[in-house]
Amino acid sequence: AQKITQTQPGMFVQEKEAVTLDCTYDTSDPSYGLFWYKQPSSGEMIFLIYQGSYDQQNATEGRYSLNFQKARKSANLVISASQLGDSAMYFCAMREWSRGGGFKTIFGAGTRLFVKA
Amino acid sequence: DAGVTQSPTHLIKTRGQHVTLRCSPISGHKSVSWYQQVLGQGPQFIFQYYEKEERGRGNFPDRFSARQFPNYSSELNVNALLLGDSALYLCASSSNLGQGTPANYGYTFGSGTRLTVV
């Protein structure tokens, strides 16, 4: 069963405008963490923002904010004032605990964002 | 400070061969995780090691194995390579097993090793 769903394979946004990347998740664990990562063409996964399941407020990090709707199990990423350098692949992810006492991160299929000048 | 370093950056192997990928975590980080990212998909969890012990394993065949050394560096080994093993292999290091409050939970990725099996 797919645990992280990103329904937008590709998105276009005009430079300086805001864009929302959608993410829904599925878990029965009351304690979980949600992440967004950016992956430029170089391949490195860059951490953007984190939301804990018990956090009362939506997370914000500079131009990034996370629209967390727990009842709907959605964690959409909002990028304000898009820049050309924001063009990349964006992954929504969820942390789960492993049986061995560690943790793993489950990634969605990603959304490719194109910022137009 | 050096980030997570992976070697080699690119590799071409033939079906049936064996490959070893290496990862050096950030200094002070004791946990290393490995992910496989097939083209066009999100990364898939393979292993996590902490203090030289395996702490998590994803749904990968026994052809995949890993280990962590006393200096916390790690190797991922893949035997009997198949064409489907062609992917970007990412290593991520973290300082602990996710305890505590840092928002990032200390997860820092390397740039990956791109493996092509022909």
Side-chain angles (χ1 to χ4, degrees):
Chain A
Q2 191 140 4
K3 295 199 172 185
I4 298 287
T5 303
Q6 295 181 253
T7 57
Q8 307 153 313
M11 288 281 287
F12 286 87
V13 64
Q14 195 67 40
E15 192 179 10
K16 300 181 185 176
E17 292 187 350
V19 63
T20 297
L21 307 184
D22 295 342
C23 173
T24 57
Y25 61 92
D26 182 31
T27 182
S28 55
D29 190 339
S31 177
Y32 52 89
L34 297 162
F35 300 79
W36 277 91
Y37 286 89
K38 172 184 178 182
Q39 188 177 42
S41 55
S42 60
E44 185 175 354
M45 300 289 283
I46 301 168
F47 165 76
L48 296 178
I49 196 166
Y50 166 82
Q51 181 84 44
S53 58
Y54 295 118
D55 293 343
Q56 295 296 313
Q57 294 188 328
N58 287 343
T60 60
E61 290 285 349
R63 295 188 298 112
Y64 304 107
S65 60
L66 201 151
N67 184 1
F68 181 46
Q69 298 187 42
K70 195 170 182 177
R72 289 183 161 189
K73 292 189 175 178
S74 75
N76 298 339
L77 176 70
V78 180
I79 305 175
S80 63
S82 297
Q83 301 172 356
L84 295 178
D86 293 336
S87 293
M89 197 74 172
Y90 288 81
F91 290 97
C92 178
M94 179 172 64
R95 186 194 62 187
E96 279 193 340
W97 297 104
S98 300
R99 260 173 273 173
F103 64 94
K104 60 182 178 181
T105 304
I106 311 295
F107 288 85
T111 294
R112 183 164 294 280
L113 178 66
F114 300 92
V115 180
K116 300 181 290 184
Chain B
D1 282 347
V4 178
T5 57
Q6 292 187 244
S7 63
T9 55
H10 294 82
L11 201 52
I12 299 175
K13 289 286 191 178
T14 304
R15 274 179 300 174
Q17 282 188 318
H18 161 271
V19 69
T20 298
L21 310 182
R22 294 177 176 83
C23 172
S24 293
I26 288 175
S27 178
H29 281 193
K30 298 180 179 180
S31 175
V32 169
S33 299
W34 287 94
Y35 288 80
Q36 180 197 63
Q37 186 178 16
V38 173
L39 193 63
Q41 297 181 17
Q44 299 289 317
F45 173 73
I46 310 176
F47 288 111
Q48 183 184 33
Y49 276 77
Y50 178 74
E51 291 278 18
K52 295 168 285 181
E53 289 188 6
E54 182 183 301
R55 292 303 194 107
R57 173 185 284 255
N59 294 325
F60 280 81
D62 293 342
R63 298 185 297 108
F64 289 76
S65 64
R67 55 179 175 168
Q68 187 176 33
F69 298 99
N71 66 354
Y72 304 113
S73 66
S74 177
E75 284 182 353
L76 175 70
N77 295 284
V78 187
N79 292 324
L81 284 167
L82 304 173
L83 295 180
D85 295 331
S86 295
L88 178 68
Y89 287 85
L90 293 164
C91 173
S93 81
S94 56
S95 56
N96 54 32
L97 285 173
Q99 304 93 337
T101 58
N104 187 17
Y105 284 89
Y107 231 31
T108 305
F109 283 87
S111 296
T113 294
R114 190 164 295 283
L115 172 65
T116 302
V117 182
V118 297

